[in-house]
Amino acid sequence: MSKVKITGHASGTGILTVTAPNTSTNRTITLPDATGTLLNSDGDGSSLTGVAGAFSTLTDTTVSASDPTVSTNPSATGHLWINKTDGETYIATDVSAGANVWTNVGGGSGDIRTTYTIDSLVVAGGGSGGGYARGGGGGAGGYRNTYNSETSGRNGSSETALAAIPTSVYTVTVGAGGAAIYYDYGNPGSNSVFNTVTSYGGGGGAMQGGRARPEGTYGSGAGGGGTGGATLAGSTGNAGQGFDGGVGGNYDAGTGMGGGGAGASANGYAAGGSGDGTGGDGGAGLASSITGASVTRAGGGGGGGSNANQSVGGAGGGGAGHGSDGPHGNGLPGTANTGGGGGGTSGSASYGTGGAGGSGVVILRMATANYSGTTSGSPTVSTDGSDTILVYNASGTYTA
């Protein structure tokens, strides 16, 4: 059996005393099977091998020249990761093979976690047509799209899809259409929003004798009103969202009808030619297959006229302008949840009401494998192949 040997120092004269503790219990002290020096209460640990660089030797800590990734798999939450190159420090807060979450505990560049793609189509509410007489058509709601390289409004490029972070809550706002208006300029539509993507409401159509309102930012512009002695311009649409409203005519020259509201893919049309009492047609909207079927949305409203021919609302939910010359006919509304503009009023014998703009819509599309199933606002849920589609006709949220 091994023996315990105490060896004195040949040149020392001091006496080393081993003092027993005040205990009535038998104790066993096991010495390590290694050569080394014991650390006393005043020591700094510098003589202990394996302590220098201790962070890198701990089982729940990693010191590295780079950041972790979502595929860096720690054994448990609480694992500490130190990037010795830039000082970023992370704690593993969710452990799932290949989809780990590393939370940045300093003031660095953010957390590291898996993301997935959500495509979106965001259409704002359309503007209402001009009231009173010979009103301009309302502009369509702004149109922004990320799906499958389809274009956004005004020939805009397909936008960048959202890189969604699991457990994050994303807000969906569906803009209302501009309210129908009597004896006044049309009302603009309200904006639609998904996360940081905002589509602007369509412009409200002008009433007789007026240009479409120049103030404000619109998805698509509205038509100018019919007037005497001049032609009146429509309002301007927004880059990447919609086109410009049509010119209202000069009724002294027989063309004094409302201009058409613009759509996502075309300007509103000017009021009819000399001697033609037809208001300008609304500009066409854009088609998207984000739901699995091709659907056209965001058409402009038609301008009000003064003959039996109604103007045509733009393809994609635009309301027709009324075509009768007194008593007044009201403009027709844009179609709900298309962002279509409302039609303008007609005639001059009495006042009329511009048609209301159609409400907007927000559509989300993602891989079914990623769909969380957590929503508010009661979106319609469907599938197309391996994808899930959410159609929001009213505001709500999606939790990734």
Side-chain angles (χ1 to χ4, degrees), residues 109-273:
S109 58
D111 302 341
I112 296 171
R113 58 180 71 207
T114 189
T115 63
Y116 63 90
T117 298
I118 298 179
D119 277 303
S120 64
L121 173 63
V122 182
V123 181
S128 63
Y132 175 41
R134 299 179 175 92
Y143 186 104
R144 298 180 67 179
N145 191 6
T146 74
Y147 177 65
N148 198 30
S149 299
E150 295 176 346
T151 60
S152 294
R154 205 181 180 102
N155 298 325
S157 300
S158 184
E159 301 200 24
T160 302
L162 173 70
I165 300 173
T167 74
S168 296
V169 179
Y170 296 99
T171 300
V172 173
T173 302
V174 176
I181 193 72
Y182 178 76
Y183 195 62
D184 204 346
Y185 287 87
N187 290 303
S190 297
N191 298 346
S192 288
V193 182
F194 171 55
N195 190 37
T196 60
V197 176
T198 299
S199 290
Y200 298 113
M207 65 178 184
Q208 178 176 307
R211 298 183 62 173
R213 295 178 189 266
E215 69 272 15
T217 302
Y218 308 120
S220 288
T227 190
T231 57
L232 299 174
S235 55
T236 303
N238 195 266
Q241 299 197 27
F243 280 85
D244 303 336
V247 174
N250 174 6
Y251 56 69
D252 289 346
T255 62
M257 313 308 149
S265 72
N267 291 328
Y269 289 84

Side-chain angles (χ1 to χ4, degrees), residues 16 38 67 76-77 86 89 92 108 112 148 150 156 183 209 224 237 282 294 306 311 330 341 345 364 371 385:
L16 301 181
L38 294 178
D67 292 341
T77 57
D86 59 17
T89 304
I112 296 171
N148 198 30
E150 295 176 346
Y183 195 62
S294 180
S306 62
S311 64
N330 299 327
T345 58
L364 309 182
Y371 174 52

Side-chain angles (χ1 to χ4, degrees), residues 2-390:
S2 299
K3 297 178 174 58
V4 177
K5 177 181 179 182
I6 298 176
T7 302
H9 198 281
S11 60
T13 59
I15 299 174
L16 301 181
T17 301
V18 178
T19 303
N22 181 15
T23 180
S24 299
T25 303
N26 294 336
R27 304 290 187 189
T28 299
I29 298 174
T30 302
L31 299 175
D33 186 14
T35 299
T37 302
L38 294 178
L39 177 67
N40 63 29
S41 60
D42 297 327
D44 61 6
S46 60
S47 63
L48 299 182
T49 60
V51 172
F55 273 133
S56 61
T57 63
L58 297 176
T59 57
D60 60 352
T61 302
T62 299
V63 178
S64 172
S66 61
D67 292 341
T69 70
V70 295
S71 298
T72 304
N73 299 318
S75 60
T77 57
H79 189 102
L80 174 66
W81 185 286
I82 299 172
N83 183 332
K84 64 183 179 181
T85 303
D86 59 17
E88 298 268 26
T89 304
Y90 302 88
I91 298 291
T93 54
D94 188 3
V95 174
S96 179
N100 303 284
V101 176
W102 293 90
T103 300
N104 194 312
V105 296
S109 58
D111 302 341
I112 296 171
R113 58 180 71 207
T114 189
T115 63
Y116 63 90
T117 298
I118 298 179
D119 277 303
S120 64
L121 173 63
V122 182
V123 181
S128 63
Y132 175 41
R134 299 179 175 92
Y143 186 104
R144 298 180 67 179
N145 191 6
T146 74
Y147 177 65
N148 198 30
S149 299
E150 295 176 346
T151 60
S152 294
R154 205 181 180 102
N155 298 325
S157 300
S158 184
E159 301 200 24
T160 302
L162 173 70
I165 300 173
T167 74
S168 296
V169 179
Y170 296 99
T171 300
V172 173
T173 302
V174 176
I181 193 72
Y182 178 76
Y183 195 62
D184 204 346
Y185 287 87
N187 290 303
S190 297
N191 298 346
S192 288
V193 182
F194 171 55
N195 190 37
T196 60
V197 176
T198 299
S199 290
Y200 298 113
M207 65 178 184
Q208 178 176 307
R211 298 183 62 173
R213 295 178 189 266
E215 69 272 15
T217 302
Y218 308 120
S220 288
T227 190
T231 57
L232 299 174
S235 55
T236 303
N238 195 266
Q241 299 197 27
F243 280 85
D244 303 336
V247 174
N250 174 6
Y251 56 69
D252 289 346
T255 62
M257 313 308 149
S265 72
N267 291 328
Y269 289 84
S274 178
D276 184 350
T278 305
D281 291 339
L286 272 174
S288 173
S289 297
I290 191 171
T291 60
S294 180
V295 178
T296 301
R297 303 175 180 86
S306 62
N307 65 15
N309 299 317
Q310 286 188 328
S311 64
V312 176
H322 203 278
S324 174
D325 187 11
H328 264 299
N330 299 327
L332 299 183
T335 303
N337 299 120
T338 67
T345 58
S346 68
S348 58
S350 61
Y351 303 143
T353 300
S359 53
V361 66
V362 175
I363 302 172
L364 309 182
R365 181 171 178 135
M366 68 207 76
T368 298
N370 294 326
Y371 174 52
S372 71
T374 304
T375 66
S376 69
S378 301
T380 300
V381 183
S382 62
T383 58
D384 179 41
S386 60
D387 289 348
T388 292
I389 299 103
L390 307 180

